[in-house]
Amino acid sequence: MNIKIKLLELNKRQVDLLDEIHKRGYPTLAPSVLSRYINRREITPQSKAVLAICEDVLSEWESKSA
């Protein structure tokens, strides 16, 4: 899933996604770190967990907008 494209399709921004990530267990995740994860510049166990959260959030947003 390309997160950037999904955000555009849903008329959302990375900051909206970051707010949801903060609520789901990563309250101190910085915007720059999220950007590195989304762009696959940093691949760690945490980045994989955060990207999984991103996909869940995007799926929820898609189902609500349908």
Side-chain angles (χ1 to χ4, degrees), residues 8-49:
L8 281 172
E9 289 173 351
L10 295 167
N11 199 26
K12 299 279 188 176
R13 300 174 303 153
Q14 280 189 22
V15 70
D16 300 321
L17 192 54
L18 186 62
D19 288 341
E20 286 297 319
I21 292 166
H22 286 168
K23 293 176 190 173
R24 296 176 189 220
Y26 292 90
T28 60
L29 189 72
S32 61
V33 176
L34 177 59
S35 183
R36 287 198 308 264
Y37 291 172
I38 288 173
N39 291 318
R40 309 284 201 260
R41 299 257 186 247
E42 191 172 326
I43 300 172
T44 64
Q46 178 172 310
S47 72
K48 292 176 184 177

Side-chain angles (χ1 to χ4, degrees), residues 1 6 9-10 57-66:
M1 172 187 294
K6 286 292 180 190
E9 289 173 351
L10 295 167
V57 169
L58 291 170
S59 294
E60 288 173 18
W61 286 344
E62 275 184 313
S63 66
K64 286 180 183 177
S65 70

